[in-house]
Amino acid sequence: MQKVAIIDFFNSETDVWRVHTYIITKFSGTPKSTEEMAEPKWFDIDTLDFDTMPWSDVYWLPLLLKYNKKLTVEIHQNSLLLKIEDMK
């Protein structure tokens, strides 16, 4: 498991959600739904349906998947700030 992004979602002056994003290359077992996440699904990277994702995912997720870079992302209601670094 490799940490590849930290995403801060700003909904207002006081509401901030920090999401730590990881990539895994191997998985065993059965994914299970949680309170925070509905039924998990597997997707082929080449055929991701960005139309069903939040608007900001269209910008940061392809960068994360295509390049060997670490992302720091700030997402405000109508804007996005990306910081891209080499993976260490």
Side-chain angles (χ1 to χ4, degrees), residues 4-6 63 69-74 80-86:
V4 293
I6 297 174
L63 292 173
K69 302 288 183 183
K70 182 177 180 182
L71 303 178
T72 303
V73 185
E74 281 188 21
L80 177 98
L81 173 66
L82 284 170
K83 180 180 177 186
I84 303 170
E85 304 171 7
D86 288 331

mmCIF file of all heavy atoms in Angstrom, residues 4-6 63 69-74 80-86:
data_model
loop_
_atom_site.group_PDB
_atom_site.id
_atom_site.type_symbol
_atom_site.label_atom_id
_atom_site.label_comp_id
_atom_site.label_asym_id
_atom_site.label_seq_id
_atom_site.Cartn_x
_atom_site.Cartn_y
_atom_site.Cartn_z
ATOM 1 N N VAL A 4 -0.573 8.129 -1.801
ATOM 2 C CA VAL A 4 -0.312 8.894 -3.015
ATOM 3 C C VAL A 4 -0.955 10.276 -3.038
ATOM 4 O O VAL A 4 -0.633 11.084 -3.898
ATOM 5 C CB VAL A 4 -0.754 8.114 -4.270
ATOM 6 C CG1 VAL A 4 0.123 6.885 -4.465
ATOM 7 C CG2 VAL A 4 -2.214 7.715 -4.177
ATOM 8 N N ALA A 5 -1.852 10.557 -2.108
ATOM 9 C CA ALA A 5 -2.489 11.875 -2.123
ATOM 10 C C ALA A 5 -3.089 12.200 -0.767
ATOM 11 O O ALA A 5 -3.505 11.320 -0.025
ATOM 12 C CB ALA A 5 -3.580 11.941 -3.185
ATOM 13 N N ILE A 6 -3.111 13.506 -0.493
ATOM 14 C CA ILE A 6 -3.881 14.051 0.616
ATOM 15 C C ILE A 6 -4.821 15.065 -0.006
ATOM 16 O O ILE A 6 -4.390 15.969 -0.716
ATOM 17 C CB ILE A 6 -2.990 14.738 1.669
ATOM 18 C CG1 ILE A 6 -2.042 13.718 2.300
ATOM 19 C CG2 ILE A 6 -3.854 15.414 2.735
ATOM 20 C CD1 ILE A 6 -1.031 14.335 3.235
ATOM 21 N N LEU A 63 -4.388 12.321 -13.021
ATOM 22 C CA LEU A 63 -2.985 12.646 -12.741
ATOM 23 C C LEU A 63 -2.364 11.619 -11.808
ATOM 24 O O LEU A 63 -1.240 11.170 -12.007
ATOM 25 C CB LEU A 63 -2.872 14.031 -12.114
ATOM 26 C CG LEU A 63 -3.215 15.215 -13.002
ATOM 27 C CD1 LEU A 63 -3.227 16.495 -12.180
ATOM 28 C CD2 LEU A 63 -2.218 15.319 -14.138
ATOM 29 N N LYS A 69 3.546 10.496 -9.355
ATOM 30 C CA LYS A 69 3.638 11.733 -8.585
ATOM 31 C C LYS A 69 2.758 11.638 -7.348
ATOM 32 O O LYS A 69 1.775 10.903 -7.315
ATOM 33 C CB LYS A 69 3.186 12.937 -9.416
ATOM 34 C CG LYS A 69 3.956 13.147 -10.702
ATOM 35 C CD LYS A 69 5.341 13.651 -10.432
ATOM 36 C CE LYS A 69 6.091 13.920 -11.727
ATOM 37 N NZ LYS A 69 7.453 14.334 -11.501
ATOM 38 N N LYS A 70 3.129 12.394 -6.339
ATOM 39 C CA LYS A 70 2.311 12.505 -5.131
ATOM 40 C C LYS A 70 1.519 13.798 -5.236
ATOM 41 O O LYS A 70 2.054 14.836 -5.623
ATOM 42 C CB LYS A 70 3.210 12.534 -3.889
ATOM 43 C CG LYS A 70 2.451 12.610 -2.602
ATOM 44 C CD LYS A 70 3.390 12.565 -1.422
ATOM 45 C CE LYS A 70 2.627 12.651 -0.124
ATOM 46 N NZ LYS A 70 3.539 12.665 1.023
ATOM 47 N N LEU A 71 0.252 13.759 -4.882
ATOM 48 C CA LEU A 71 -0.618 14.930 -5.007
ATOM 49 C C LEU A 71 -1.043 15.442 -3.642
ATOM 50 O O LEU A 71 -1.327 14.667 -2.739
ATOM 51 C CB LEU A 71 -1.884 14.581 -5.788
ATOM 52 C CG LEU A 71 -1.730 14.016 -7.189
ATOM 53 C CD1 LEU A 71 -3.097 13.694 -7.753
ATOM 54 C CD2 LEU A 71 -1.005 14.980 -8.087
ATOM 55 N N THR A 72 -1.076 16.749 -3.527
ATOM 56 C CA THR A 72 -1.763 17.404 -2.427
ATOM 57 C C THR A 72 -2.835 18.258 -3.084
ATOM 58 O O THR A 72 -2.528 19.071 -3.953
ATOM 59 C CB THR A 72 -0.807 18.285 -1.599
ATOM 60 O OG1 THR A 72 0.272 17.470 -1.131
ATOM 61 C CG2 THR A 72 -1.520 18.888 -0.411
ATOM 62 N N VAL A 73 -4.072 18.055 -2.709
ATOM 63 C CA VAL A 73 -5.189 18.689 -3.402
ATOM 64 C C VAL A 73 -6.046 19.452 -2.404
ATOM 65 O O VAL A 73 -6.368 18.940 -1.342
ATOM 66 C CB VAL A 73 -6.066 17.631 -4.121
ATOM 67 C CG1 VAL A 73 -7.158 18.290 -4.941
ATOM 68 C CG2 VAL A 73 -5.229 16.701 -4.980
ATOM 69 N N GLU A 74 -6.400 20.687 -2.751
ATOM 70 C CA GLU A 74 -7.400 21.456 -2.005
ATOM 71 C C GLU A 74 -8.592 21.642 -2.919
ATOM 72 O O GLU A 74 -8.456 22.139 -4.031
ATOM 73 C CB GLU A 74 -6.866 22.841 -1.625
ATOM 74 C CG GLU A 74 -5.964 22.850 -0.441
ATOM 75 C CD GLU A 74 -5.635 24.272 0.006
ATOM 76 O OE1 GLU A 74 -6.388 25.212 -0.329
ATOM 77 O OE2 GLU A 74 -4.622 24.419 0.688
ATOM 78 N N LEU A 80 -10.175 24.278 -7.438
ATOM 79 C CA LEU A 80 -9.297 23.172 -7.097
ATOM 80 C C LEU A 80 -7.855 23.672 -7.155
ATOM 81 O O LEU A 80 -7.479 24.387 -8.057
ATOM 82 C CB LEU A 80 -9.512 22.070 -8.137
ATOM 83 C CG LEU A 80 -8.668 20.836 -8.056
ATOM 84 C CD1 LEU A 80 -9.473 19.751 -7.337
ATOM 85 C CD2 LEU A 80 -8.345 20.343 -9.444
ATOM 86 N N LEU A 81 -7.045 23.320 -6.167
ATOM 87 C CA LEU A 81 -5.628 23.674 -6.138
ATOM 88 C C LEU A 81 -4.838 22.375 -6.001
ATOM 89 O O LEU A 81 -5.040 21.618 -5.058
ATOM 90 C CB LEU A 81 -5.327 24.598 -4.951
ATOM 91 C CG LEU A 81 -3.869 24.922 -4.707
ATOM 92 C CD1 LEU A 81 -3.289 25.740 -5.850
ATOM 93 C CD2 LEU A 81 -3.706 25.663 -3.385
ATOM 94 N N LEU A 82 -3.958 22.098 -6.975
ATOM 95 C CA LEU A 82 -3.144 20.882 -6.960
ATOM 96 C C LEU A 82 -1.692 21.212 -6.692
ATOM 97 O O LEU A 82 -1.151 22.166 -7.255
ATOM 98 C CB LEU A 82 -3.183 20.195 -8.331
ATOM 99 C CG LEU A 82 -4.422 19.415 -8.696
ATOM 100 C CD1 LEU A 82 -4.360 19.031 -10.168
ATOM 101 C CD2 LEU A 82 -4.561 18.180 -7.857
ATOM 102 N N LYS A 83 -1.037 20.435 -5.858
ATOM 103 C CA LYS A 83 0.408 20.485 -5.664
ATOM 104 C C LYS A 83 0.922 19.107 -6.035
ATOM 105 O O LYS A 83 0.461 18.107 -5.466
ATOM 106 C CB LYS A 83 0.763 20.833 -4.229
ATOM 107 C CG LYS A 83 2.240 20.900 -3.983
ATOM 108 C CD LYS A 83 2.522 21.246 -2.519
ATOM 109 C CE LYS A 83 4.014 21.237 -2.255
ATOM 110 N NZ LYS A 83 4.305 21.428 -0.831
ATOM 111 N N ILE A 84 1.843 19.045 -6.986
ATOM 112 C CA ILE A 84 2.327 17.773 -7.485
ATOM 113 C C ILE A 84 3.798 17.625 -7.139
ATOM 114 O O ILE A 84 4.604 18.529 -7.387
ATOM 115 C CB ILE A 84 2.131 17.669 -9.018
ATOM 116 C CG1 ILE A 84 0.642 17.867 -9.356
ATOM 117 C CG2 ILE A 84 2.649 16.340 -9.545
ATOM 118 C CD1 ILE A 84 0.364 18.021 -10.829
ATOM 119 N N GLU A 85 4.171 16.475 -6.533
ATOM 120 C CA GLU A 85 5.550 16.238 -6.113
ATOM 121 C C GLU A 85 5.995 14.877 -6.623
ATOM 122 O O GLU A 85 5.173 13.996 -6.872
ATOM 123 C CB GLU A 85 5.641 16.226 -4.589
ATOM 124 C CG GLU A 85 5.120 17.460 -3.900
ATOM 125 C CD GLU A 85 5.039 17.276 -2.386
ATOM 126 O OE1 GLU A 85 5.503 16.248 -1.875
ATOM 127 O OE2 GLU A 85 4.486 18.169 -1.736
ATOM 128 N N ASP A 86 7.306 14.687 -6.756
ATOM 129 C CA ASP A 86 7.840 13.364 -7.072
ATOM 130 C C ASP A 86 7.586 12.426 -5.908
ATOM 131 O O ASP A 86 7.653 12.821 -4.757
ATOM 132 C CB ASP A 86 9.342 13.431 -7.346
ATOM 133 C CG ASP A 86 9.657 14.082 -8.670
ATOM 134 O OD1 ASP A 86 8.837 13.985 -9.583
ATOM 135 O OD2 ASP A 86 10.725 14.705 -8.793
#
